[in-house]
Amino acid sequence: MIRRILATALLLTAGVLAVRPAAAESGPSSPAVVSARGIPAGSILGPADVQLIQLPDSVRPEGALSTVEAAEGHLLAGAARPGEPITDARLVGPSTVVPGSGDAGKSIVPVRLSDAGVAGLLHAGMHVDVVAAATDGGRQVLASMAVVVAVVAQETEPGYGSASKDGPLVLLELPADSATQVAAMSLERAVAVTLR
């Protein structure tokens, strides 16, 4: 008799546990764009990189994109793991707000740092000072409070060379006149950044 009661109780418990996840999934959901694979920072998103799924509203992050077209063609500011929702804050492109870009007269300049390992410490939204070696053996500050827009992984930058000594490409947002100076100087001298 006791065994029968225990068996019935276990069956009822198993039934409740089996139904509970289905009930949770039946709540309201909305379309959300997620990464279809692991994507490195600085990648330009294409059709193979993202997919559309129904995501429960309770776990859907604010700013999650709801169409694949909204993500395609944009640069991913930070690496994404498979299945991770893509939000507007993760993208850099014409229809997105670049971190720190609220002012007119700003430009984005790509630079390669003299120490490629430093690029691994940077992420979108960080503020840095750009410095170069001066002709008198000292240092010259080329720009202050530059905003890091993205760090483009070497394997995702076709046309920029493939030598490992080149390192990643760092996109910096600067006032237009400073951007011009930094771009010109980076062609002549090695540049570095100090983190703020």
Side-chain angles (χ1 to χ4, degrees):
M1 181 72 170
I2 292 176
R3 285 183 185 174
R4 226 179 255 172
I5 293 171
L6 285 174
T8 305
L10 286 173
L11 281 173
L12 287 173
T13 303
V16 168
L17 292 175
V19 171
R20 187 180 268 173
E25 291 174 10
S26 66
S29 64
S30 303
V33 176
V34 299
S35 52
R37 60 184 183 85
I39 310 171
S43 298
I44 303 296
L45 296 177
D49 298 319
V50 293
Q51 61 187 4
L52 193 65
I53 66 166
Q54 286 295 122
L55 201 60
D57 291 344
S58 60
V59 296
R60 190 176 190 273
E62 184 177 345
L65 303 180
S66 56
T67 65
V68 170
E69 292 75 20
E72 288 180 5
H74 290 280
L75 186 141
L76 188 65
R81 295 192 181 279
E84 185 176 335
I86 305 295
T87 65
D88 54 0
R90 300 290 306 278
L91 303 179
V92 176
S95 65
T96 62
V97 177
V98 174
S101 66
D103 305 324
K106 298 277 187 174
S107 295
I108 295 177
V109 61
V111 297
R112 291 193 193 279
L113 304 180
S114 58
D115 182 350
V118 173
L121 303 174
L122 304 177
H123 60 80
M126 287 183 73
H127 289 82
V128 297
D129 292 339
V130 185
V131 296
T135 52
D136 62 2
R139 65 174 177 82
Q140 178 182 3
V141 178
L142 304 177
S144 294
M145 294 297 288
V147 178
V148 176
V149 174
V151 179
V152 182
Q154 188 174 339
E155 63 271 16
T156 63
E157 5 168 338
Y160 285 106
S162 57
S164 59
K165 63 185 173 72
D166 286 342
L169 194 65
V170 179
L171 303 182
L172 299 173
E173 182 190 56
L174 294 162
D177 56 345
S178 297
T180 302
Q181 181 184 4
V182 169
M185 193 64 71
S186 69
L187 295 175
E188 300 172 7
R189 303 181 204 165
V191 295
V193 295
T194 57
L195 283 59
R196 288 276 187 158

